[in-house]
Amino acid sequence: MTANAWMQFALYFAVLLLAVKPLGLYMARVYQGRLFGPESRLGKCEAWIYRLAGVNPSEETGWKRYAVEALMFNLVGLLAVYALQRFQGALPLNPQKLPGVGPDSSFNTAVSFASNTNWQGYGGESTMSYLTQMVGLSVQNFLSAATGMAVLVAFVRGLSRNSAATIGNFWVDLTRSTIYILLPLSTVLALALVSQGVVQSFAEYKVVSVVDPIANADGSSVTEQTLPLGPAASQIAIKQLGTNGGGFFNVNSAHPFENPTPLSNFLQVLSILLIPAALCFTFGELVDDRRQGWAILAVMLVIFVPLLIACQLSEQAGNPKLAALGVEQTASATQSGGNMEGKETRYGIVNSTLWATATTAASNGSVNSMHDSFTPLGGLVPMWLMQLGEVVFGGVGSGLYGMLAFAIIAVFISGLMVGRTPEYLGKKIEAYEMKMASLVVLIPCFVVLTGTAIAVLGPGLEYHAADTSELKGNLNNPGAHGFSEVLYAFTSAGNNNGSAFAGLSANVPFYNLALGIAMLIARYWLIIPTLAIAGSLAAKKVSPVGLGTLPTHTPLFVAMLVGVVVIVGALTYVPALALGPIVEQLMMTQ
Amino acid sequence: MSAQTKARPLFDPPIVRRAIVDSFKKLDPRHQVRNPVMFTVFVGSLLTTGLWFQALVSVGEAPAAFIFGISVWLWFTVLFANFAEAMAEGRGKAQADSLRQARRDVSANKLAEPRHGAASQKVSASALRKADVVLVSAGEQVPADGEVIEGVASVDESAITGESAPVIRESGGDRSSVTGGTRVLSDWLIVRISANPGETFLDRMISLVEGAKRQKTPNEIALNILLAAMTIIFLMACVTLLPFSIYSVDAAGQGSPITVTVLVALLVCLIPTTIGGLLSAIGIAGMDRMIQANVIAMSGRAVEAAGDVDVLLLDKTGTITLGNRQAVEFVPVDGVEVGSLADAAQIASLADETPEGRSVVVLAKEKYGLRGRNIHDLHATFVPFTAQTRISGVDIDGKQIRKGAAEAIEQFVGERGGRYPAELKQQVEEIARRGGTPLVVAENDRPLGVIYLKDIVKGGIRERFAELRRMGIKTVMITGDNPLTAAAIAAEAGVDDFLAQATPEAKLKMIREYQAGGRLVAMTGDGTNDSPALAQADVAVAMNSGTQAAKEAGNMVDLDSNPTKLIEIVEIGKQLLMTRGALTTFSIANDVAKYFAIIPAAFATTYPVLNRLNIMHLGPSTAILSAVIFNALIIVLLIPLALRGVRYRAVGAATLLRDNLLIYGLGGLIVPFIGIKLVDLALVALQLT
């Protein structure tokens, strides 16, 4: 790896890890309700929200009601975003006079933003009005992230409470996540991004003369360009912080108005992992044993860092087939070298691979380079990070509760190996927890594999163009790479990531519907078993720690948990990956 | 009958023969469906067999010989798993049979009324019902489990316990329970039968080792869920591989889609068949090890819970100390000669047949040359111990010589207007602090001094407690002694805590407190007054010599009546879980190698380049079969481990996990690479010849 890569990675992790403890502690205090008393100004504001919504903040609920409230709240958000898109043509804040969005695309987008996936079958600047972007998509960015955080906090309460019947109040957790954590952080980041040149405007798109006219395919000269504008910075901030990833513009953070400078790039890629990493500390603090939080963070890093390095090495090495043609692919003072197809020269290899791995490790899904153009191995890394179940950082809240479900399975196996009924944080892991944790692991696998299988059997390979009814192929690439494109799409939707391999024409009824269903199942069918575990654990007694208890904060347990996550992820997807990126890589290096 | 305590050879020929027959009987789908992993293999075997027939009679999806080879080994996989279960059952049955043999064809004297001398009638033991009353005379066998309601007799229990010394069984008290199959040596007993035929401890035990009736334990259910989940995941991975393969053939423009036979082979290799096939054998073998330790468990749940115990409540007497306290010193007070104290103490103890009393006589004789005298020659009247007075002694020549607990003697002396000197109080406390039991001797209104009775801590017990501590188990000594004495003995024996002046209520309260704190409590008991505590404890081991009530309250019965057996029980419980965990890890780790064996071969025609992943360099036609054969053979090879259990060492959880991960995790990664390669080499060699 180049010295440049080492330095950039080191800087990234140093800043990230330095932020973990202060932010994690802050969030823990927020959820403990110890930070903003009812007398403080923010506390009064919080109380006012509850009064307005008719919520009694001191009333806690069991897991079932918590789940019903979370699901109903998300359903309302989903319907609102659907309606906004359908009727945006008749609504204000639409300077480009964009028409209402079609039903299948609206459904897909509504599910996508409610489920914190932010898969985008549409192109932002050519589809969505400012109103839809702001009131629909941005608001969902906040609320879907806050839902994930609320479910996590409820889950942690389940682990830390002793013989309790309740796991908290969904509305309180949702409100606190939003107003004390997501809003302040987003405000700061949005202003920082504006300072770097990210647009924030209600003006209509600007038509400008190009500096260097180019010739069209038909020989005519292109002299004008439309520059899209909009309230972008405010949406981009939460898109990164809330692991949403839905870009304001079609090419996401590769767009110069969305991500103009190296500093804006650094801030954005930092905010992808910021909250998921800090939540590990919050978890440790909330269960009153910080070592537990550090151990989980260590598990995530132990998986993440080698994969990042693998991706970087593969991209920096470039394509041997091109090298054979005499293309210069070594890094030098004037070029970053390696495989630069689909990457911004502003960011080069290092910032592209860092972004690609971070955005897929977290269930963010924003991109600053096109993953489709990565080398097979370089593209396998983001795909596999998602296939691990979005638990290596993962979505805000959802990543950690997914990881804790894996921890339950790891604890179960290792507990057996030391001859004791397994316990995690003093809670006995029994048949019910295993059933629910198994569901958490099973469902994404099921969605990804079944969806891909249906698609490649035919429905996902060809479609009739809406205007001409002409039969077109969905896949831009034939062969194994085409398979990777379909697999990536379902992997992304089935794990609520939202990044696209591109190369796949996904804005067609089949993919809009199939991926929409995949996102729905992957998000909400995991929230239910997760909360079920929380409810069951909360009701249990806490067993005191003894010599016979397996410690879950040691390097040994970290290794065990890494093994369970990697092996379950690897074993499930190896056959599929063998027919996609693996065979591609072997062919490329043949 | 000491045979049952010896380890049975692992592969006893008659058991193996019966197990082989049973392996085929267990092919019944109703049996297979109980185990989701093996049922999947079963269905896969049926499917490939069907495909083989298809290949024979018309065009098959692959060469008939290939499908045949895979089918045969899939059936072997099922049979090997059946064999493992049948072996464990066979060993358990053999164990139970040898216990049961003892009371075959016994006839019983059934009494019309529950009193000695009532009209009796000869009936077969198997005809006896609960609450029937029988007379058992010298030389006869006790026909069934029951409780002595009249009589005292010495009983040979060697058939059950392997212990040759006879024991006393009598009505009332804590030695009233008799077990079927034991023999009355002297006198007679009237026994009320406590169990219907088929419901005795042994019958329950036998049903626990028989797979069909065995209830799954909580941990086994949880593990089964995990295994089922993994089976479903791999089922999805394999089923979707067919469309993936069809697409790939289309995209690559060469080769043919993966065959169903190969998909079934891949599926069977990936799902956790090793643990799935051995799971019930492990459970049965755990019960079997309990019987070998002469412990009868009432449920598999109890055996499993034993591995989780955090707190062990142990009775001091008989467990931590030798049953009897011994007099080691006479401490006179108030200027009394030590000799006259010894004399008085000896006289007071002459008629006292308790071991403590005898030890006083012996000490006086050995240390002060006082010969034991006959109480009748002295014309003395014996005053026995009663619960009210709590003192005993003799009346001789107008003198009232008494010994007893300090408070009781203080009261005795006080009633006679005597003085209870402060020096005596000091001496009493001093002895108590040193862990002894002070027994005060008084003559009329005058206290003479104290007898120092000492508890003798059993040899080696300290080390056992240290071992328990390393296992993470806290030991609590239960004693009726006062706190001072208890503390001293607790320190000497090395227990972690003690409960002094224990009453049944105090014991029960203590257990509840520990349980409320999330701990799992184990205890042993034998008396009727132990029953509430036994019923409350999570793991309750009743002594076979104890009362019927105690046995019913407990969830295990120790035939040897050895209170330290709890330690072995905990180890067996832990072994049971560890074996399951180790084999699960091994099973999952195996999959990595199997992918490397099967994937390149499965897609050889579509993507020949995948052969670069064939790092074992397996033959193109034998790779898949090699993996399937290895997968089947490993079940047989691990049967000894499943039956014997993974060895438990008291080294703390972290060390255990590290060692087991290295052996079964890392080993599970590496072994199949070697094993599959060896099978492949053998297959290639066979095909060449």
Side-chain angles (χ1 to χ4, degrees):
Chain A
M1 247 170 33
T2 57
N4 171 33
W6 283 120
M7 281 191 300
Q8 299 221 40
F9 290 165
L11 177 71
Y12 179 74
F13 286 111
V15 176
L16 178 68
L17 291 177
L18 277 177
V20 163
K21 189 174 168 182
L23 179 60
L25 193 59
Y26 170 79
M27 290 193 285
R29 294 289 174 264
V30 165
Y31 290 119
Q32 286 166 335
R34 280 165 58 181
L35 215 51
F36 302 100
E39 294 314 309
S40 67
R41 197 169 299 171
L42 278 170
K44 279 184 184 144
C45 171
E46 186 189 339
W48 180 80
I49 293 174
Y50 297 141
R51 259 203 306 282
L52 193 74
V55 168
N56 175 6
S58 55
E59 182 199 23
E60 295 211 339
T61 66
W63 77 267
K64 283 180 189 154
R65 201 174 136 197
Y66 200 101
V68 168
E69 286 173 350
L71 294 185
M72 292 320 288
F73 178 73
N74 274 257
L75 178 67
V76 170
L78 192 158
L79 293 175
V81 174
Y82 180 82
L84 260 174
Q85 292 178 82
R86 301 285 289 135
F87 302 118
Q88 69 175 10
L91 294 168
L93 275 178
N94 187 3
Q96 296 307 120
K97 307 281 178 284
L98 292 166
V101 185
D104 58 310
S105 178
S106 295
F107 164 75
N108 183 284
T109 306
V111 171
S112 173
F113 277 74
S115 64
N116 198 252
T117 313
N118 304 41
W119 168 270
Q120 293 168 293
Y122 65 93
E125 60 271 44
S126 55
T127 316
M128 302 294 176
S129 74
Y130 292 168
L131 185 78
T132 312
Q133 295 262 32
M134 277 171 58
V135 179
L137 306 186
S138 280
V139 168
Q140 276 304 309
N141 277 352
F142 278 100
L143 298 180
S144 65
T147 301
M149 293 164 85
V151 172
L152 170 72
V153 175
F155 188 82
V156 175
R157 284 197 197 103
L159 278 169
S160 58
R161 287 187 172 178
N162 195 351
S163 313
T166 61
I167 57 170
N169 181 319
F170 172 71
W171 308 111
V172 171
D173 294 336
L174 182 83
T175 309
R176 289 188 177 159
S177 305
T178 311
I179 64 172
Y180 296 139
I181 298 167
L182 295 173
L183 270 174
L185 282 175
S186 298
T187 309
V188 172
L189 181 62
L191 291 174
L193 290 177
V194 168
S195 81
Q196 293 302 303
V198 176
V199 296
Q200 178 78 9
S201 159
F202 285 131
E204 59 186 79
Y205 297 174
K206 290 261 184 305
V207 178
V208 294
S209 303
V210 297
V211 181
D212 186 9
I214 51 165
N216 245 340
D218 56 7
S220 63
S221 181
V222 178
T223 55
E224 284 186 335
Q225 183 183 7
T226 307
L227 296 182
L229 294 171
S234 53
Q235 186 172 334
I236 292 161
I238 184 62
K239 144 200 151 187
Q240 298 301 86
L241 284 164
T243 60
N244 294 286
F248 194 87
F249 303 114
N250 192 21
V251 292
N252 215 304
S253 283
H255 196 288
F257 288 174
E258 188 148 346
N259 186 12
T261 66
L263 182 60
S264 74
N265 189 71
F266 183 82
L267 290 175
Q268 288 190 27
V269 77
L270 178 70
S271 33
I272 290 177
L273 296 188
L274 184 65
I275 296 180
L279 277 172
C280 295
F281 186 90
T282 309
F283 159 67
E285 182 67 21
L286 290 179
V287 299
D288 215 12
D289 184 356
R290 291 184 181 178
R291 298 170 307 176
Q292 304 291 345
W294 290 119
I296 296 289
L297 184 59
V299 171
M300 294 178 173
L301 287 170
V302 167
I303 300 174
F304 180 72
V305 173
L307 286 171
L308 169 65
I309 292 174
C311 186
Q312 166 67 21
L313 287 175
S314 182
E315 291 308 299
Q316 190 69 62
N319 187 338
K321 296 252 157 82
L322 285 176
L325 296 172
V327 178
E328 182 54 51
Q329 292 183 91
T330 43
S332 66
T334 50
Q335 67 155 10
S336 30
N339 171 31
M340 277 301 288
E341 185 197 307
K343 297 189 180 68
E344 278 286 316
T345 47
R346 282 176 294 158
Y347 311 130
I349 302 282
V350 180
N351 275 308
S352 300
T353 56
L354 178 59
W355 189 299
T357 38
T359 197
T360 47
S363 80
N364 189 293
S366 62
V367 292
N368 73 352
S369 59
M370 295 301 121
H371 298 178
D372 194 32
S373 296
F374 276 36
T375 59
L377 199 62
L380 184 148
V381 167
M383 195 176 340
W384 197 53
L385 270 167
M386 292 187 280
Q387 287 167 344
L388 292 179
E390 284 300 3
V391 296
V392 180
F393 297 105
V396 285
S398 63
L400 187 51
Y401 65 65
M403 178 59 96
L404 293 175
F406 271 100
I408 284 176
I409 292 175
V411 155
F412 182 77
I413 297 174
S414 45
L416 288 184
M417 272 199 286
V418 302
R420 248 178 102 89
T421 297
E423 283 163 19
Y424 189 48
L425 303 174
K427 298 283 193 173
K428 285 216 185 320
I429 304 301
E430 289 164 302
Y432 186 76
E433 287 76 27
M434 283 312 291
K435 205 183 289 176
M436 294 302 153
S438 296
L439 278 179
V440 171
V441 175
L442 259 177
I443 288 168
C445 298
F446 172 77
V447 171
V448 172
L449 289 172
T450 320
T452 312
I454 294 171
V456 298
L457 277 179
L461 301 179
E462 288 170 333
Y463 69 102
H464 292 280
D467 40 1
T468 58
S469 293
E470 185 191 350
L471 196 63
K472 289 181 168 179
N474 287 86
L475 307 179
N476 287 5
N477 297 79
H481 196 70
F483 179 73
S484 299
E485 287 167 354
V486 180
L487 181 63
Y488 193 104
F490 280 95
T491 299
S492 176
N495 290 287
N496 295 124
N497 181 279
S499 71
F501 216 34
L504 176 74
S505 305
N507 197 5
V508 296
F510 170 75
Y511 281 109
N512 277 336
L513 217 63
L515 295 175
I517 294 168
M519 290 185 278
L520 271 180
I521 296 175
R523 176 73 167 184
Y524 300 108
W525 282 14
L526 293 203
I527 284 184
I528 297 169
T530 302
L531 287 173
I533 296 176
S536 158
L537 290 182
K540 293 188 182 194
K541 281 188 286 208
V542 177
S543 315
V545 175
L547 260 182
T549 320
L550 181 79
T552 50
H553 61 266
T554 57
L556 185 68
F557 184 75
V558 169
M560 177 80 196
L561 184 48
V562 168
V564 168
V565 172
V566 168
I567 285 192
V568 170
L571 293 181
T572 317
Y573 292 103
V574 159
L577 291 172
L579 296 177
I582 293 177
V583 74
E584 252 190 284
Q585 177 78 18
L586 292 173
M587 285 169 162
M588 187 182 81
T589 56
Q590 208 170 15
Chain B
M1 277 289 306
S2 57
Q4 81 225 4
T5 52
K6 277 192 222 131
R8 191 176 293 278
L10 205 56
F11 290 100
D12 205 12
I15 295 179
V16 172
R17 273 195 295 277
R18 191 161 70 173
I20 291 173
V21 176
D22 283 350
S23 319
F24 285 92
K25 285 189 190 155
K26 284 173 188 285
L27 286 176
D28 186 341
R30 283 167 301 180
H31 179 82
Q32 292 293 325
V33 80
R34 281 165 53 87
N35 183 334
V37 178
M38 293 320 292
F39 186 67
T40 309
V41 183
F42 179 76
V43 173
S45 310
L46 283 176
L47 188 62
T48 52
T49 309
L51 289 168
W52 175 59
F53 279 119
Q54 188 203 24
L56 280 183
V57 298
S58 68
V59 183
E61 58 162 16
F66 173 75
I67 306 181
F68 176 76
I70 297 282
S71 302
V72 167
W73 280 96
L74 291 184
W75 283 116
F76 271 129
T77 313
V78 179
L79 286 173
F80 289 163
N82 289 349
F83 178 70
E85 188 182 87
M87 276 296 294
E89 276 176 20
R91 284 162 58 79
K93 271 183 199 155
Q95 208 73 252
D97 281 350
S98 67
L99 289 175
R100 196 152 44 175
Q101 245 155 24
R103 50 177 172 156
R104 286 237 172 95
D105 308 321
V106 175
S107 64
N109 299 309
K110 188 177 164 187
L111 295 180
E113 289 169 60
R115 60 177 177 81
H116 193 52
S120 77
Q121 178 196 352
K122 282 259 183 225
V123 296
S124 161
S126 58
L128 289 173
R129 289 286 174 276
K130 201 169 168 173
D132 282 350
V133 178
V134 295
L135 171 72
V136 191
S137 306
E140 289 179 350
Q141 260 191 20
V142 178
D145 295 356
E147 188 166 13
V148 179
I149 53 174
E150 201 181 332
V152 186
S154 61
V155 177
D156 171 14
E157 292 194 338
S158 61
I160 299 291
T161 63
E163 180 65 50
S164 57
V167 293
I168 300 294
R169 291 284 171 257
E170 60 190 337
S171 61
D174 288 349
R175 293 182 297 179
S176 64
S177 136
V178 286
T179 312
T182 56
R183 186 177 295 277
V184 173
L185 294 180
S186 68
D187 307 287
W188 50 266
L189 293 174
I190 291 178
V191 176
R192 181 185 287 124
I193 303 302
S194 60
N196 287 328
E199 290 174 12
T200 60
F201 293 137
L202 276 176
D203 292 309
R204 275 194 247 176
M205 190 74 204
I206 289 161
S207 73
L208 282 175
V209 297
E210 280 172 349
K213 293 179 203 154
R214 205 169 61 92
Q215 295 265 317
K216 288 201 178 100
T217 55
N219 261 315
E220 206 177 343
I221 292 170
L223 180 57
N224 249 319
I225 290 170
L226 179 67
L227 297 181
M230 305 215 59
T231 306
I232 295 171
I233 287 183
F234 289 124
L235 190 65
M236 289 183 320
C238 290
V239 168
T240 55
L241 203 49
L242 187 60
F244 295 173
S245 161
I246 293 171
Y247 168 85
S248 299
V249 169
D250 217 32
Q254 58 179 348
S256 50
I258 190 167
T259 60
V260 174
T261 309
V262 171
L263 277 179
V264 172
L266 177 62
L267 175 64
V268 170
C269 286
L270 292 180
I271 61 176
T273 47
T274 315
I275 177 68
L278 294 173
L279 191 55
S280 61
I282 295 169
I284 297 165
M287 306 299 296
D288 184 40
R289 279 199 296 279
M290 279 287 185
I291 312 185
Q292 280 178 33
N294 265 354
V295 175
I296 292 182
M298 300 298 156
S299 68
R301 182 186 284 262
V303 179
E304 209 170 64
D308 288 349
V309 163
D310 318 86
V311 180
L312 213 53
L313 303 187
L314 295 161
D315 263 332
K316 183 196 77 176
T317 312
T319 311
I320 296 169
T321 60
L322 294 171
N324 323 324
R325 282 173 293 206
Q326 288 178 353
V328 289
E329 196 184 346
F330 296 113
V331 185
V333 291
D334 221 9
V336 176
E337 284 273 320
V338 72
S340 39
L341 170 62
D343 185 52
Q346 193 186 42
I347 290 173
S349 307
L350 279 177
D352 185 352
E353 280 301 311
T354 62
E356 287 88 354
R358 283 199 294 267
S359 79
V360 173
V361 178
V362 170
L363 180 71
K365 185 166 104 187
E366 283 177 354
K367 232 173 164 180
Y368 303 98
L370 300 169
R371 294 203 42 208
R373 288 147 286 189
N374 192 315
I375 191 161
H376 299 295
D377 301 343
L378 294 172
H379 306 289
T381 337
F382 177 53
V383 181
F385 179 89
T386 68
Q388 281 79 38
T389 60
R390 294 194 294 146
I391 53 179
S392 67
V394 289
D395 290 342
I396 179 170
D397 304 333
K399 283 188 287 186
Q400 294 180 310
I401 302 176
R402 295 289 186 275
K403 66 178 165 75
E407 301 90 71
I409 294 289
E410 188 176 358
Q411 195 188 355
F412 174 82
V413 174
E415 280 164 7
R416 280 153 190 79
R419 195 176 57 86
Y420 193 79
E423 186 196 352
L424 183 60
K425 271 190 184 151
Q426 269 175 19
Q427 290 298 348
V428 164
E429 269 174 33
E430 174 62 25
I431 289 170
R433 204 172 49 247
R434 278 150 63 194
T437 307
L439 217 52
V440 181
V441 183
E443 189 181 313
N444 297 336
D445 60 348
R446 183 175 177 220
L448 301 174
V450 198
I451 309 170
Y452 179 179
L453 288 178
K454 193 172 181 215
D455 264 309
I456 311 296
V457 172
K458 277 185 176 174
I461 200 85
R462 218 187 148 82
E463 289 70 33
R464 298 220 79 173
F465 290 149
E467 192 183 336
L468 282 168
R469 204 167 298 120
R470 283 198 301 275
M471 290 161 78
I473 296 171
K474 180 178 173 175
T475 45
V476 181
M477 181 182 83
I478 306 281
T479 172
D481 294 339
N482 66 58
L484 273 179
T485 315
I489 296 171
E492 191 180 344
V495 293
D496 298 311
D497 200 356
F498 62 86
L499 177 67
Q501 284 164 343
T503 58
E505 294 77 28
K507 276 194 219 179
L508 192 61
K509 185 162 160 271
M510 185 178 206
I511 294 176
R512 286 199 174 132
E513 272 166 14
Y514 275 122
Q515 286 174 336
R519 294 178 193 272
L520 228 73
V521 182
M523 74 167 283
T524 55
D526 53 5
T528 301
N529 61 11
D530 286 332
S531 317
L534 281 171
Q536 181 71 30
D538 301 285
V539 175
V541 185
M543 300 295 105
N544 192 43
S545 58
T547 60
Q548 197 61 36
K551 283 188 191 175
E552 272 167 19
N555 46 22
M556 289 185 204
V557 175
D558 177 18
L559 298 176
D560 295 339
S561 305
N562 169 10
T564 51
K565 189 68 80 55
L566 255 176
I567 297 172
E568 272 171 66
I569 293 173
V570 169
E571 284 181 0
I572 291 172
K574 283 193 181 291
Q575 267 194 320
L576 184 65
L577 297 188
M578 281 170 58
T579 312
R580 285 189 198 138
L583 289 180
T584 304
T585 309
F586 184 83
S587 203
I588 297 170
N590 267 216
D591 284 1
V592 176
K594 291 170 185 166
Y595 269 132
F596 278 101
I598 295 180
I599 293 285
F603 300 106
T605 56
T606 316
Y607 290 129
V609 65
L610 279 173
N611 200 41
R612 280 167 64 192
L613 297 179
N614 183 6
I615 54 176
M616 286 175 271
H617 299 290
L618 305 176
S621 57
T622 50
I624 296 170
L625 189 58
S626 305
V628 174
I629 293 177
F630 170 81
N631 189 55
L633 288 181
I634 197 74
I635 296 179
V636 178
L637 293 177
L638 289 174
I639 289 178
L641 182 71
L643 297 188
R644 287 209 191 101
V646 171
R647 201 165 64 89
Y648 175 76
R649 290 171 304 133
V651 287
T655 319
L656 264 184
L657 178 63
R658 189 197 62 206
D659 294 353
N660 284 332
L661 264 183
L662 279 180
I663 299 170
Y664 300 100
L666 201 59
L669 278 177
I670 297 165
V671 164
F673 279 101
I674 302 165
I676 293 174
K677 181 65 188 172
L678 288 177
V679 173
D680 191 66
L681 286 176
L683 283 182
V684 171
L686 284 175
Q687 279 176 358
L688 285 177
T689 51

